Amino acid sequence: MASTPLTDNPIFRRLQTRHAETCSTTMRAQFASEPNRFQQFSMQAAGLTLDYSKNRIDRVTLDLLLDLARERDVEGHRHKLFAGEKINTTEQRAVLHTALRAPAGQTFVLDGQDVDTDVQAVLTRMQVFSEQVRSGAWTGRDGRAITDIVNIGIGGSYLGPKMVCQALRTFAHPRLTCHFVSNVDGHDLAAVLARVEPATTLFIIASKTFATAETMMNARSARSWFLQGGSNSDLAKHFVAVSTNLAGVTDFGINPANMFPFWDWVGGRYSIWSAIGLSVAVLVGFPAFRAFLDGAHQMDKHFQEAPLERNMPVLLAMLGVWYRNFHGSSSVSIAPYHQDLSLFAGYLQQLDMESNGKHVSAAGEPLTTASGPVIWGDTGTNGQHAYFQLLHQGSDLIPIDFIAVLGASHTLPGHQAALLANCFAQAEAFMRGKTADEVRTDLAEQGLDAARVEALMPHKTFPGNRPSNMVLMEALTPATLGALVALYEHKVFVQGVIWGINSFDQWGVELGKVLAKSIAQELTGAAQPAQHDSSTNALIALAKAALEHQPIAPD
Ligand code: F6P
């Protein structure tokens, strides 16, 4: 990764000047004077259309942003990513999730070995297993077919499978329900266990490390719940694992034949493409899972081959850099106008914030610019009635990514047109705003007197000039979903290159994990109280008293 401070880069400085030169330009005026703005600033790739015309850019600014991408050697870093170089330098790991979704036979060399054979072997096992569960050939302890799948995992071992199962729910097998348990809060597991029957439930213990405290506690509790009415010999029919840790899986009591492996070169937040997607393959079927991989591969090819100025992930990334580093935007809102994408913003939170939430460069030097923004959002139209007010009239400039799906999988008349109308109207309103004169005219036409018009005018004025992207697809299918996820993965990668950071480690989550372990021992009486601050000491004392009558966790 680049080690020269971004702020010393002459193109970065030129962009600072460009920001000052253009900050009073309005998109409304640009649209009025450039009739082909949509044609100029939109593109298609891998089944997705990106309309980026409602951004505070012109050709000059965009060219400068692309020059910055070239200067920071996005192309060279992209080559290293696909070539399996160990670009995750702090963990000395390659980052090869793209190998998981390439068609069979494509070579991905890591440490002199092609990983494709291993990848295809696991995919074949996933195919066989998912077909057995779906057909009913895989039975539970009393011979009945599986009806419920409980995926126990957290972070990337949870967010990806859950988001994709939700997004593709129209493709789900009618007999199967997928449940997801992630939180160490027992309310999560207890609620799921109350809804399922042990004899027809399949647990997928999904953990790259098979050591994550939350997952292991949930897995142990699920196992002891299951064993209340069954024996150890039944476990093989009801517990499978997805992990890189064979010893951990075996120690837990899961038959190695029931383990679906993956590898340390698959980051947790990129693991949906690996066997971590097992619940997806079972729920929607292997052909649909394969189509999801293929859609992502189409985006990989586009990202690898398209010139930067026609490269969707690069454009999305550089627009994000424009707002983050030059307009001072500290967050990005994600607004999917499709209910089945209701978990998409949450998924992107881990992808983006765990990747680029860093304060030092890959070389360990303090960054001289802001890095990853806060990612948040909810589906449209729900968000419109919650937080869009702040997006329209609040004091912060928050860029928005709208994700719109033209076709619906339901047949309810009128809904789809209403949904899309809202989506497009919001994007237009953010761009245009409403001027004081327009407000005055409106209010006068409603018959309000001059004093009332002036009193209301500031409240009803919209500044506008608020940027958004529109990512559009014909239908939400496994392939378009795959392309969409890969689009954001590559966007995050490009931004990491611009900021000069290692986007593939996540040391920031470690400190809390270590402290939680020692406090947990104090709470259960297994360790003497340590010296904390007075606040933490008081909270521990309160909790200890409350926990005295709670049951002890199973081993
Ligand atoms: O704590 C963060 C993290 O390491 C994530 O990056 C990862 O997705 C998650 O924990 C779960 O890890 P595992 O799959 O090893 O249980």
Side-chain angles (χ1 to χ4, degrees), residues 154-157 206-212 215 262 268-269 276 350 354 506 509-510 513:
I154 198 164
S157 302
S207 173
K208 178 176 171 180
T209 54
F210 226 73
T212 304
T215 300
F262 64 114
R269 51 194 173 274
I276 288 289
Q350 187 202 21
E354 210 170 64
Q506 58 283 320
V509 290
E510 292 304 317
K513 280 190 195 172

Side-chain angles (χ1 to χ4, degrees), residues 389-447:
Q389 164 62 36
L390 183 146
L391 299 179
H392 279 292
Q393 290 187 310
S395 49
D396 291 319
L397 183 77
I398 301 178
I400 304 152
D401 283 357
F402 290 97
I403 298 166
V405 181
L406 295 177
S409 55
H410 63 79
T411 52
L412 295 170
H415 286 255
Q416 192 63 8
L419 178 72
L420 291 172
N422 271 279
C423 180
F424 301 156
Q426 289 296 327
E428 186 174 25
F430 282 119
M431 182 276 286
R432 287 182 62 82
K434 193 166 183 182
T435 64
D437 281 347
E438 286 169 340
V439 175
R440 284 193 185 100
T441 308
D442 263 12
L443 295 178
E445 275 172 14
Q446 288 167 29

Side-chain angles (χ1 to χ4, degrees), residues 83 105 137 143-144 312-313 334 382 409:
R144 281 185 291 157
M312 201 182 274
I334 307 291
N382 294 0
S409 55

